[in-house]
Amino acid sequence: MSLTTRTSGAGRGSSLRRRFLRKSTALFLFVAFCAFAFAQEPSSPSADAVSKITANILHEGKAYEYDEHLADDIGPRLTGSANYEKAVEWSMEQFRRLGLENVHAESFPLKAVWEPETNAIGRMIAPHEQTLHLISLGWAPSTPEGGIRGKVELIRNLLTPDSLEQDRERIRGNIALVDRSSLSFPNGLMPGQYFAALSALKQYGAVAVLVGGGRSPNDAEYAGAATADGSIAALPIVRVGFEDLQLLSRLLKKGSVTIEFSYRNRIRKPASANNVVAEIRGREHPEEFVLVGAHLDSVHAGTGAQDNGTGVASLLDTARAIRASGIVPRRTIRFVLFGGEEEWELGSKAYASQHEAELDRCTAMLTTDTGSDTTFGWYINGREDEVAALQEMAPLLKPLGADGISQDATFLLHSDHTSFYLHGVPTLMLWTEMAKYFQFVHQPGDTFDKVDKDKLAKSVAVVAATAFLIADRPAPFAKRQSPAEVEETLKKIKQYDGYLDMKQYGTLK
Ligand SMILES: [Zn+2]
């Protein structure tokens, strides 16, 4: 029985104690096993350092506390918002306190800062009255004073502005409903093209857009920004709850449906936000660096405890443990906390282009943005040339259960490593179990209570060990690819169409 379903006080206490004992015994055995496994390796300065650093993280790690502060004390961190800037100040203060060098903020431009001012409220008026579960998409404009009232019309093919032609008469003056049946992308949804088609609904005279999605029971899942470049969308766009959508679809088959809704969002433009940078300078080649990234921003539903509070906490605790070891790696480890990730990686795109001139000296970019559940290893996204170096490190990652190398490239274009990858920099994305993450991500449930302290500590140990080993190895981790090689790899891993989509509709330069 899980603790959350237990109600009796006494039972709960003893269950907690049993769980604590089980967990501490498991942790003790795990640490002992690590010490044993590391001891079996031919001892090298790097292996000894990693053993010291990971033991510190597993015994005295602070990632759980860092994440608690971000999620509970600061809260949702929409890029450029007051909470976000509070997180910028707080994380710089932590890095300084840990004795890191070169701690500073770097500004990047934003087309707009967006925050919800009121929740969306709405109801169906005809064929009968009924409350609807709605939430505004990010970077969508407010509804006009007095709200929006209109007939709902299902869009039959939202592929390109031309594909809307068949629905021209139905769209004018009405609320366009976009559900799964409206989407016919041949190679999976292309976000840039999708947003461009959504915005074309305005030219066809739609007054607002209703997007289906979410989960039972009537969750209207927040799905990030409604544009691919940080601009404000052309029309008010709301997401409708799961069961509400099914109801509207059934009723539309029988006749006409009218709804009304309203919400207000606060928009400030143009604007800017900050990425946060901190370094542990290398002892032999301080000009060469391993970049370790996570995103400081979150969406507004939930408090971003897993997406990406645990990532930020991992970076802070990696910095803490390496500093505490007193060991300095050959190359610099540069920590960067990015903003704007939830608006399609605006902060990391800006950072990669602002720092293009020094990317030849970036031996690897590591990102952690998949939560902190059981960690298996790293995604290499088709960079087979990284395998040899990772295999060398495997004996040190194996005791953490994280010597795996995944060929799955699904997330390549969806986090802060993307821009570095496209600039040819060798990248790694943390590979973790994600079932629980997907249950709560971008929803009100992405909160601190879902974070498992021991699993988080292990995932921090994987990030720290990998970053240190790459920074400390005599030879560079892998080479920088030419633009032609990047394109070739993208084609091989079937991500080329997504890349072209980003290039055409997003902010990719
Ligand atoms: Zn994220």
Side-chain angles (χ1 to χ4, degrees):
M1 185 191 293
S2 79
L3 285 171
T4 44
T5 55
R6 241 196 144 100
T7 47
S8 131
R12 188 164 192 270
S14 62
S15 162
L16 267 173
R17 260 193 311 278
R18 271 201 307 279
R19 187 168 178 239
F20 176 74
L21 284 173
R22 234 181 11 248
K23 281 197 160 184
S24 16
T25 314
L27 188 64
F28 171 77
L29 290 174
F30 177 73
V31 171
F33 171 68
C34 285
F36 172 76
F38 287 134
Q40 298 311 295
E41 283 310 302
S43 182
S44 73
S46 276
D48 293 346
V50 164
S51 161
K52 201 170 166 185
I53 292 161
T54 52
N56 177 293
I57 290 167
L58 298 172
H59 282 301
E60 302 163 39
K62 298 271 181 293
Y64 195 64
E65 285 82 354
Y66 289 136
D67 191 39
E68 182 176 18
H69 182 77
L70 275 166
D72 285 0
D73 301 330
I74 297 180
R77 301 172 297 284
L78 274 166
T79 306
S81 66
N83 277 5
Y84 179 82
E85 290 305 323
K86 215 185 274 178
V88 166
E89 290 305 320
W90 174 80
S91 52
M92 286 205 293
E93 188 191 316
Q94 302 313 307
F95 278 130
R96 284 198 190 103
R97 193 176 289 175
L98 297 169
L100 267 74
E101 296 131 292
N102 197 16
V103 179
H104 64 281
E106 289 186 24
S107 167
F108 62 93
L110 287 171
K111 291 189 173 155
V113 169
W114 178 97
E115 281 182 278
E117 194 173 318
T118 65
N119 285 334
I121 48 166
R123 59 186 185 134
M124 180 164 71
I125 299 167
H128 65 264
E129 258 192 50
Q130 182 171 334
T131 302
L132 296 173
H133 300 78
L134 305 168
I135 186 167
S136 167
L137 253 66
W139 275 250
S142 302
T143 53
E145 206 58 46
I148 278 175
R149 177 188 278 236
K151 269 173 61 183
V152 177
E153 290 288 354
L154 178 67
I155 302 303
R156 287 174 291 186
N157 190 6
L158 185 96
L159 188 61
T160 61
D162 287 347
S163 72
L164 296 169
E165 197 55 48
Q166 59 169 324
D167 289 328
R168 177 178 282 279
E169 290 315 310
R170 291 146 52 96
I171 298 171
R172 180 156 305 280
N174 294 326
I175 296 170
L177 172 63
V178 174
D179 71 6
R180 222 173 271 271
S181 75
S182 313
L183 307 174
S184 60
F185 291 85
N187 300 315
L189 188 114
M190 296 290 137
Q193 192 184 339
Y194 169 70
F195 292 132
L198 276 186
S199 107
L201 286 165
K202 182 173 174 144
Q203 279 113 63
Y204 282 87
V207 294
V209 185
L210 198 59
V211 181
R215 281 154 232 220
S216 185
N218 245 335
D219 167 43
E221 181 190 19
Y222 175 82
T227 57
D229 63 356
S231 60
I232 297 297
L235 289 167
I237 304 180
V238 285
R239 226 172 152 104
V240 61
F242 181 79
E243 280 82 1
D244 286 347
L245 172 70
Q246 321 301 317
L247 172 69
L248 293 176
S249 307
R250 290 194 298 272
L251 293 176
L252 280 170
K253 284 185 188 135
K254 298 187 214 170
S256 157
V257 175
T258 303
I259 68 166
E260 67 175 17
F261 65 89
S262 68
Y263 63 80
R264 222 170 29 247
N265 295 326
R266 205 178 302 135
I267 290 160
R268 184 159 49 83
K269 60 182 182 178
S272 64
N274 286 305
N275 292 322
V276 171
V277 183
E279 290 184 333
I280 292 174
R281 301 286 290 170
R283 65 171 198 273
E284 248 176 51
H285 303 293
E287 74 291 353
E288 291 179 15
F289 58 100
V290 177
L291 197 154
V292 190
H295 68 88
L296 195 52
D297 66 309
S298 76
V299 298
H300 69 288
T303 54
Q306 293 272 5
D307 187 15
N308 186 224
T310 51
V312 174
S314 300
L315 265 56
L316 286 168
D317 205 42
T318 292
R320 184 199 59 74
I322 295 177
R323 265 286 173 254
S325 75
I327 307 161
V328 178
R330 273 196 176 82
R331 297 179 190 77
T332 294
I333 300 181
R334 184 182 296 176
F335 300 92
V336 188
L337 305 177
F338 297 107
E341 195 277 344
E342 298 294 2
E343 294 75 54
W344 303 92
E345 300 94 34
L346 297 177
S348 49
K349 279 175 189 161
Y351 188 91
S353 52
Q354 286 160 358
H355 290 261
E356 193 168 8
E358 60 170 347
L359 291 184
D360 272 343
R361 292 186 270 109
C362 182
T363 181
M365 191 278 181
L366 278 57
T367 194
T368 160
D369 188 18
T370 52
S372 60
D373 218 329
T374 307
T375 304
F376 305 124
W378 295 96
Y379 291 109
I380 58 163
N381 292 305
R383 288 289 307 250
E384 294 300 331
D385 57 325
E386 296 176 352
V387 170
L390 277 174
Q391 277 170 346
E392 268 173 37
M393 297 171 201
L396 294 168
L397 296 174
K398 197 177 171 66
L400 297 162
D403 57 333
I405 298 172
S406 174
Q407 305 293 342
D408 183 352
T410 315
F411 304 120
L412 172 60
L413 301 174
H414 298 284
S415 190
D416 292 314
H417 57 315
T418 308
S419 320
F420 296 89
Y421 184 99
L422 296 176
H423 277 93
V425 174
T427 59
L428 292 172
M429 186 190 212
L430 194 67
W431 174 26
T432 60
E433 166 61 47
M434 289 181 83
K436 197 161 114 188
Y437 177 91
F438 282 125
Q439 213 179 325
F440 299 108
V441 69
H442 291 192
Q443 293 166 77
D446 185 6
T447 48
F448 183 64
D449 45 287
K450 313 299 184 306
V451 178
D452 180 300
K453 189 175 182 179
D454 293 343
K455 286 180 178 171
L456 172 59
K458 274 191 218 171
S459 90
V460 178
V462 175
V463 172
T466 312
F468 188 90
L469 288 167
I470 293 177
D472 206 43
R473 73 198 302 272
F477 175 63
K479 70 165 201 133
R480 188 171 175 193
Q481 281 188 332
S482 67
E485 287 168 325
V486 172
E487 291 201 357
E488 203 176 298
T489 316
L490 285 166
K491 283 177 187 159
K492 194 181 75 192
I493 59 173
K494 302 195 170 23
Q495 296 294 318
Y496 191 67
D497 289 343
Y499 159 69
L500 291 182
D501 178 70
M502 277 176 71
K503 226 173 146 168
Q504 189 175 352
Y505 300 101
T507 48
L508 202 60
K509 296 202 180 70

